[in-house]
Amino acid sequence: MVIEANEANELAVVPLSSSDGNNKTPLPDYQQGQSYFKHFVEIEDDEGEPIVIGEKFRENHPNMDVSRDDVNFIKDTVFNHSKPMQANRKKMDKFRGKKKPQD
């Protein structure tokens, strides 16, 4: 599920799942409550390349879109209420092109 896109059409995504488990939260208003999202933000594919729409990442049909409220809930969870929230924030800083301050 896309949570943000940049000017280069690269995507920051949070993986969805149909099974419950550790570091997953249900989405009660999506897919009749049978979907969960993982608490991890991904900005690169399995080869270390930026995620873009193409062979590895396809757009859902519009009737499968996640609501704006659910997107806001997911973002709040992964950035403020999950074990990997610090790592997620660092990934988004990298995604947005922010550099770490130099000492």
Side-chain angles (χ1 to χ4, degrees):
M1 201 259 341
V2 176
I3 59 169
E4 193 168 315
N6 64 19
E7 291 108 23
N9 290 322
E10 298 166 346
L11 308 174
V13 301
V14 171
L16 296 180
S17 175
S18 59
S19 63
D20 193 4
N22 291 337
N23 293 312
K24 293 181 184 176
T25 299
L27 279 172
D29 298 328
Y30 183 70
Q31 298 275 307
Q32 294 81 39
Q34 300 300 309
S35 290
Y36 301 81
F37 65 91
K38 297 180 181 181
H39 295 173
F40 303 97
V41 173
E42 299 294 343
I43 61 171
E44 296 175 342
D45 66 15
D46 59 342
E47 296 174 348
E49 297 296 320
I51 298 171
V52 295
I53 294 174
E55 285 183 29
K56 291 185 179 183
F57 187 88
R58 293 186 180 90
E59 273 189 279
N60 277 344
H61 190 276
N63 70 352
M64 298 289 288
D65 283 352
V66 178
S67 73
R68 172 57 46 201
D69 287 343
D70 282 342
V71 171
N72 291 337
F73 172 66
I74 291 167
K75 289 172 82 171
D76 181 57
T77 301
V78 300
F79 295 130
N80 301 311
H81 307 286
S82 66
K83 287 182 183 179
M85 66 184 178
Q86 300 262 353
N88 290 337
R89 289 181 191 154
K90 286 181 183 177
K91 283 183 184 178
M92 288 308 295
D93 285 346
K94 179 180 175 184
F95 179 77
R96 293 173 180 145
K98 294 181 181 173
K99 304 274 191 264
K100 250 186 357 184
Q102 297 297 322
D103 293 48

